[in-house]
Amino acid sequence: MAVEEIINDSGFNIGDFVAAKKFANFEHDFKGVVEKIYEHSLLVLVTENDPEDQATVNEYNHRAVVRMSETKVLIAAEVPEKPADEEETTDTSAE
């Protein structure tokens, strides 16, 4: 079974430090680190928030799913370079 390689063309990467707009019970915008990338949204670990929103942050277990369209990258994470596919050498000689 072949596995398709997933290409990330969203402009976001895991580990990016982002600013997100307020939504639902959040009364203020907040900042955090991208943990997972979905099709049109991001799972963000909330690291900086207004003290008034602390109860909401605790209730959401310090995580929030936010729209990509309402999120801005503040500090981009370094994306590791994938090593070039090395040709596999196989020994096909019969003994």
Side-chain angles (χ1 to χ4, degrees), residues 19-38:
K21 299 260 184 202
K22 63 182 179 178
F23 73 97
N25 293 339
F26 283 96
E27 295 181 18
H28 305 278
D29 295 348
F30 57 92
K31 297 176 184 174
V33 178
V34 175
E35 287 192 328
K36 189 165 184 173
I37 301 171
Y38 298 106

Side-chain angles (χ1 to χ4, degrees), residues 4-10:
E4 274 189 52
E5 183 177 333
I6 298 172
I7 299 172
N8 177 12
D9 60 353
S10 66

Side-chain angles (χ1 to χ4, degrees), residues 76-94:
E78 291 185 26
V79 180
E81 296 279 333
K82 289 187 179 179
D85 289 333
E86 298 176 6
E87 292 183 26
E88 293 182 21
T89 56
T90 56
D91 186 14
T92 57
S93 61

Side-chain angles (χ1 to χ4, degrees), residues 63-76:
R63 287 173 176 77
V65 177
V66 296
R67 295 179 186 162
M68 286 182 185
S69 61
E70 296 182 353
T71 307
K72 179 180 175 184
V73 175
L74 300 177
I75 301 173

